Amino acid sequence: MRSHYCGQVNESLIGQEVSVAGWVHRRRDHGGVIFVDLRDREGLLQVVFDPDRKEVFQNAERLRSEFCVHITGKVRARPSGTANANLASGQIEVLAHELEILNRSETPPFHHDEATNEELRLKYRYIDLRRDVMQQRLRLRHKVTRAMRAFLDENGFIDVETPMLTKATPEGARDYLVPSRTHPGHFFALPQSPQLFKQLLMMSGFDRYYQIVKCFRDEDLRADRQPEFTQLDIETSFMNEAEITGLMEKLARYLFKAAINVDLPDPFPRMTYEEAMRRYGSDKPDLRIPLELVDIADLVKDCEFKVFAGPASSADGRVAALRVPEGGTKLSRKQIDDYTPFVGRYGAKGLAYVKVNEKAKGRDGLQSPILKFLSDAAVSGILERTGAQDGELIFFGADKAKVVNDALGALRLKVGQDLGLVANAWRPLWVVNFPMFEWDADAKRWGAMHHPFTAPREPDPSTLKADPANAVSQGYDMVLNGSEIGGGSVRIHRAEMQSAVFDLLGIGPEEQIRKFGFLLEALKFGTPPHGGIAFGLDRLVMLMAGADSIRDVIAFPKTQTAADLMTDAPTTVSEQQLKELHVRVKLPVKAAD
């Protein structure tokens, strides 16, 4: 039907006849001559309809936005002064000889260059995807996945599919369950990840595995989460942590060069989890922002200000300061006050601050309601340790360590954005040496920081069980500009260590056999040392594209309530279908109303 894409018609074709097809992007009637900007996936092409061709011209008068058409015509240079340097086809136009309207279009709910709300875009996603920005993002996604396959194929990895219908196992999030018709009362689970299967592939001798795979997690959503998402899943045998992370660094550099022509640094810096939390309050620090937290608990533990003194003397408390250059001169009082409810979202009960007007005057050169509670030694110690200068602002966090880290970590990002301190750069790093476990105060038991199959650095199970609070894992995260783009670990490859970890997580012997019996059995048959990583494809492409949400780099995403506005899913199903599955629906009273 077509001889060329619209964006491929250029000066080299002047005088030739071409056949193009696409959508009417814009139609203009200029004094009896009709101009149509025709659009396809490769770009725009200006088509001219001359009244000398009466039948074709009359047909062109019927054209409206988003009509799907087929046009044949002759390529000619645009008249002097009318070229469009912003288009690949901007030096030429096509004089239409034939026009076939393949399909009419109703008035679209929004125009291609019109700002509209996301709900409308998702409801009419097939129209939204016609927009150039969405076409470019999905083509970028294709370039990324193509580059992933090229690199991994070149490095000896084998693409192996793993099951979508599998067994429900506790991996950290809520499973999506699928009732079985042939096994009444039993359920499959959609995989949260192919974790156990890729480990089994290592036990099977498939040395290097990869898969670009759909994963499913029934959890609360946000801008960078979806109920179904895509990850690049990787596993290797006979490689240690340094070898795995080194190879994955090469992959990341290859992807950025191939997809967006960016050279990432070589090597990536490495930072321990402990250091990341201490300096940035986050295990995925954005290194583009030159602000850091500083501990001051020792300076204020004896002060009269109980808000500081309490956490400073507590084993699980933290008192930290965040110095903001030029914060005292560039941040208004309203902005400063607005930060208090902002940190409140993260559990902080308030936000103390000191404005440094004239450091040389000591206490008299400072401005803050908390100064009267602090000794001269504490004040001078805080100024010295933070390195604060005239015109700067110091924010304080004092509470349980988690609250302080969450609140000041988020405030660091917020202030950095508000003051334009975010460098225009790509700043990757590895965060390593994560705690093996984290204490769940509500359940009163240990939980896995990554997942239950991550190997500890301690090789002795009895030593691990004796001091789980200080156990360090062989886990590692690749972080880029404040986002975790990949997470992985060396895995447990001995049955006795896996059972010890299960015991610490409160998974008793019977439950171990019921839920993980196949894994424990497999570990008895010469399991090699192995480890791997999974990269979030959606998040990675979102960062490369400069998009605000992973929904903008997924063809057909769900909303933040896990709904599909285009297909109106999820929906109810017939009683007959439920009967076949041996399932009965019992709605909550409120939902039933």
Side-chain angles (χ1 to χ4, degrees):
M1 179 176 283
R2 61 155 63 103
S3 63
H4 297 80
Y5 283 102
C6 292
Q8 295 173 344
V9 181
N10 55 38
E11 294 163 280
S12 68
L13 298 172
I14 289 176
Q16 296 184 32
E17 185 175 88
V18 296
S19 182
V20 291
W23 288 267
V24 174
H25 189 69
R26 187 179 290 107
R27 174 187 174 277
R28 309 181 302 280
D29 191 333
H30 288 182
V33 177
I34 295 174
F35 293 87
V36 165
D37 292 334
L38 190 66
R39 183 189 72 243
D40 63 17
R41 74 175 205 183
E42 298 297 330
L44 295 175
L45 174 65
Q46 180 168 286
V47 181
V48 182
F49 294 90
D50 195 295
D52 289 346
R53 296 179 181 269
K54 188 173 181 181
E55 185 178 342
V56 175
F57 188 83
Q58 288 176 343
N59 213 11
E61 288 182 312
R62 299 162 52 204
L63 296 179
R64 296 294 182 269
S65 179
E66 300 307 314
F67 274 37
C68 186
V69 300
H70 174 225
I71 296 170
T72 300
K74 182 171 286 190
V75 181
R76 67 184 188 185
R78 291 198 190 190
S80 177
T82 65
N84 186 342
N86 296 320
L87 296 179
S89 63
Q91 301 297 319
I92 55 86
E93 61 190 15
V94 170
L95 178 62
H97 294 171
E98 299 175 21
L99 167 63
E100 179 185 3
I101 297 178
L102 300 172
N103 216 331
R104 300 168 61 86
S105 173
E106 294 184 3
T107 302
F110 52 88
H111 200 246
H112 53 84
D113 57 1
E114 178 183 29
T116 189
N117 66 72
E118 188 180 45
E119 285 192 5
L120 196 61
R121 288 175 51 213
L122 293 180
K123 181 174 177 59
Y124 296 94
R125 188 61 160 183
Y126 41 87
I127 294 176
D128 185 44
L129 290 176
R130 294 179 187 175
R131 295 190 302 129
D132 181 63
V133 65
M134 296 304 296
Q135 294 265 321
Q136 294 301 321
R137 286 169 178 170
L138 291 189
R139 293 180 71 162
L140 172 61
R141 186 183 178 109
H142 164 67
K143 289 177 69 175
V144 171
T145 56
R146 183 178 61 188
M148 285 175 171
R149 294 188 185 280
F151 179 90
L152 293 168
D153 290 348
E154 183 67 26
N155 283 273
F157 286 82
I158 300 171
D159 185 356
V160 183
E161 292 184 4
T162 53
M164 282 289 112
L165 295 176
T166 183
K167 183 176 184 177
T169 55
E171 292 187 36
R174 190 181 294 109
D175 287 316
Y176 276 101
L177 300 177
V178 180
S180 171
R181 178 184 60 82
T182 54
H183 298 275
H186 291 68
F187 294 81
F188 293 106
L190 299 180
Q192 295 183 31
S193 77
Q195 180 62 46
L196 295 180
F197 286 103
K198 68 179 181 178
Q199 288 189 244
L200 291 168
L201 286 169
M202 296 303 101
M203 300 171 196
S204 305
F206 287 95
D207 204 51
R208 294 190 176 193
Y209 140 96
Y210 83 95
Q211 185 181 188
I212 298 175
V213 61
K214 281 284 188 184
C215 301
F216 305 86
R217 294 180 185 175
D218 186 5
E219 57 188 351
D220 294 334
L221 306 183
R222 59 191 184 205
D224 59 351
R225 271 189 190 160
Q226 281 280 289
E228 54 177 320
F229 57 95
T230 306
Q231 67 183 37
L232 169 62
D233 203 46
I234 295 174
E235 199 77 5
T236 67
S237 296
F238 306 110
M239 293 181 72
N240 60 31
E241 179 180 334
E243 291 168 331
I244 295 170
T245 55
L247 184 58
M248 294 304 103
E249 250 185 62
K250 290 181 181 177
L251 169 61
R253 282 191 288 271
Y254 181 87
L255 292 179
F256 271 77
K257 187 65 176 178
I260 58 174
N261 197 30
V262 164
D263 293 304
L264 293 182
D266 181 10
F268 291 2
R270 297 174 77 86
M271 184 181 298
T272 66
Y273 171 88
E274 181 181 8
E275 181 184 359
M277 298 305 292
R278 175 173 53 81
R279 293 172 61 187
Y280 304 106
S282 171
D283 59 1
K284 47 181 185 297
D286 190 339
L287 299 185
R288 297 173 301 167
I289 300 173
L291 303 177
E292 295 190 20
L293 310 187
V294 177
D295 285 310
I296 60 165
D298 59 311
L299 301 175
V300 297
K301 64 181 180 180
D302 297 323
C303 74
E304 297 178 27
F305 195 35
K306 300 304 180 187
V307 172
F308 282 5
S313 303
S314 175
D316 63 351
R318 185 181 187 189
V319 185
L322 176 68
R323 177 178 67 91
V324 181
E326 298 186 280
T329 56
K330 289 189 174 180
L331 291 173
S332 68
R333 177 59 184 269
K334 182 181 185 307
Q335 283 179 294
I336 295 172
D337 290 343
D338 285 346
Y339 290 143
T340 297
F342 174 80
V343 297
R345 302 176 201 168
Y346 302 90
K349 301 178 183 68
L351 182 64
Y353 68 90
V354 167
K355 187 180 290 189
V356 182
N357 295 325
E358 293 184 66
K359 182 181 178 180
K361 291 185 177 180
R363 181 188 294 272
D364 293 336
L366 308 179
Q367 183 180 343
S368 172
I370 68 169
L371 286 173
K372 59 187 176 184
F373 301 112
L374 302 177
S375 66
D376 290 341
V379 170
S380 60
I382 290 169
L383 292 176
E384 181 180 354
R385 189 167 297 178
T386 59
Q389 303 298 321
D390 291 354
E392 298 186 342
L393 194 68
I394 307 172
F395 287 112
F396 299 93
D399 210 307
K400 290 184 177 180
K402 184 180 187 313
V403 172
V404 172
N405 291 337
D406 289 349
L408 287 190
L411 181 64
R412 172 181 173 271
L413 300 180
K414 173 70 172 167
V415 170
Q417 292 163 358
D418 289 349
L419 290 178
L421 300 177
V422 184
N424 183 20
W426 295 101
R427 298 292 303 277
L429 79 153
W430 286 105
V431 177
V432 299
N433 289 4
F434 283 81
M436 186 74 182
F437 307 104
E438 53 187 347
W439 182 252
D440 186 332
D442 294 330
K444 294 183 170 51
R445 66 179 185 184
W446 293 106
M449 175 69 84
H450 268 87
H451 55 58
F453 319 108
T454 296
R457 295 199 177 279
E458 171 54 58
D460 181 9
S462 60
T463 304
L464 176 73
K465 295 178 80 170
D467 188 17
N470 293 308
V472 177
S473 79
Q474 295 186 63
Y476 36 80
D477 283 357
M478 185 185 289
V479 176
L480 179 65
N481 291 2
S483 290
E484 177 201 331
I485 60 171
S489 68
V490 173
R491 322 300 187 189
I492 297 169
H493 70 283
R494 292 195 175 97
E496 58 271 24
M497 178 60 82
Q498 188 63 76
S499 291
V501 169
F502 283 154
D503 286 340
L504 284 167
L505 296 175
I507 304 173
E510 290 185 7
E511 189 179 1
Q512 290 179 32
I513 296 300
R514 187 171 71 254
K515 293 182 175 178
F516 303 103
F518 64 96
L519 175 69
L520 295 171
E521 185 72 13
L523 286 170
K524 298 176 183 177
F525 295 95
T527 298
H530 59 284
I533 194 169
F535 290 95
L537 175 61
D538 310 305
R539 191 175 298 174
L540 183 61
V541 177
M542 177 187 77
L543 292 173
M544 287 182 173
D548 296 324
S549 165
I550 63 171
R551 292 190 292 275
D552 282 334
V553 296
I554 298 172
F556 300 103
K558 307 293 188 294
T559 67
Q560 285 193 306
T561 58
D564 184 339
L565 299 181
M566 185 182 68
T567 65
D568 198 28
T571 63
T572 58
V573 297
S574 71
E575 286 295 326
Q576 180 60 33
Q577 288 174 288
L578 293 174
K579 186 176 180 180
E580 290 174 350
L581 294 170
H582 313 283
V583 171
R584 179 179 298 168
V585 174
K586 184 179 180 181
L587 294 174
V589 174
K590 188 174 182 180
D593 292 342

